[in-house]
Amino acid sequence: MNENIDSTLRETLDALYYNESRRVLATLIRLLGDFDLAEDAMHDAFAIALTQWQRDGVPTNPRAWLVSTGRFKAIDRMRRQTRFGTSWEDEQIFEASSMEATDVEDETIEDDRLRLIFTCCHPSISLDAQVALTLRELCNLTTEEVAHAFLNAPATIAQRIVRAKSKIRNANIPYEVPEVEDLPNRLEAVLKVIYLVFNEGYSASTGSELMRHDLSGEAIRLGRLLIELLPEESEALGLLALMLLHDSRRAARAAPNGDLVLLDEQDRSLWNHEQIAEGSELTKKALSSGNFGSYTLQAAIAAVHAEASNTNQIDWAEIVGLYDLLLHANQSPVAELNRAVAVAMRDGPEAGLALVDDLLSRGELNKYHLTYAAQADFYRKLGKIEQAKVAYQYALNLTRQEPERRFLNRRLAELKN
């Protein structure tokens, strides 16, 4: 990379890539009709911007400029390829990209992300592949981060993504939001995608930061778009409520130095009470439908936490009861782990430890760092210091996020003193 490039321009482009690259990519996928070609075109556009903006200045609408430049770069590449003989499919891509060459308005770019989710979540693609592809392409998660979200191996996720792209290309899956009557059949995967995007933003799987606000904010925005499409869909309401209630704690979840602050130690005056009020109302609306599922029940649990004036006022019996309903609706080992923590708060650490030990004995979540962190905390509260040290070390070995690593190291240091 040219060392003479102005540092301010580098910072501008870095910020644009961080905040806008997925919007640019979504539009290029629509215009070019191919995931890999669009990704190459996007990177070409950012590379050209690095030198051209140094000479001409940053354009008034950088995002539209990047889309336009990337598209024309891809068209130019395809034209060169046609001179040396390309397949019929490549010609079709070239024709499609040329016909839609003027469609780069901002409003269209905004819509493209929702189109991309529904394209990735087409019913002809397996559910796991739908989610993996969308997380990779729409949210720019690495294959390793997607694998963490699935508690799966990166190689497995990479294969799913490749197969999903091939399916979309070979089956000519349309790049569009389905008609209203077809939306319910596509909703499960879309909700799961948005949920996993939010989770990665709420607690990043890797890196130096506890949270990725860009991802949690994007998930909430997409949740609102879904509500516009399906205003009476209880699980869409429940998911948006859940995200708002969790996100309301954002300002209190990390200390000024970036360290993790546990829920019972958070300054509740820093919580966003407008978000809590909106999330609570959405939860009530979803519950009142009588036809709700796991997202609404998780929102109800979050609402019990959010509406308590302090930790001592939390109704742990109600939370355990809601987890029982949640597990009946959706048997999930992570929900079982969370229930174990709630049971420990209601009945004591020994009861919680028995449930976590049972999870581990079944081979459930034995590569999930929070399982061992919970186990270690129960051991610590029971005065079983050596067992707590071992469990904290297991958790430390499994986590790749720096604030969590610092927290676990502090816990270990406290036990050694």
Side-chain angles (χ1 to χ4, degrees), residues 316-317 320 339-353 355 382:
W316 290 106
V320 172
R339 180 183 180 276
V341 174
V343 167
M345 296 300 295
R346 184 190 66 180
D347 301 335
E350 195 163 4
L353 180 61
L355 293 171
L382 291 167

Side-chain angles (χ1 to χ4, degrees), residues 151 333 337-338 340-341 352-353 355-380 384 386-399 407-408 411-412 415:
L151 303 179
L337 176 62
N338 291 334
V341 174
L353 180 61
L355 293 171
V356 170
D357 286 347
D358 180 59
L359 267 173
L360 290 170
S361 71
R362 288 162 23 209
E364 304 268 19
L365 301 183
N366 55 7
K367 294 184 179 179
Y368 187 45
H369 69 285
L370 293 181
T371 314
Y372 295 101
Q375 185 188 52
D377 191 53
F378 297 149
Y379 278 135
R380 180 178 63 86
K384 299 182 177 182
E386 292 307 313
Q387 294 97 318
K389 289 179 184 177
V390 171
Y392 277 128
Q393 190 61 56
Y394 267 117
L396 188 59
N397 291 342
L398 288 169
T399 189
F407 172 80
L408 292 168
R411 281 286 197 240
L412 273 171
L415 294 177

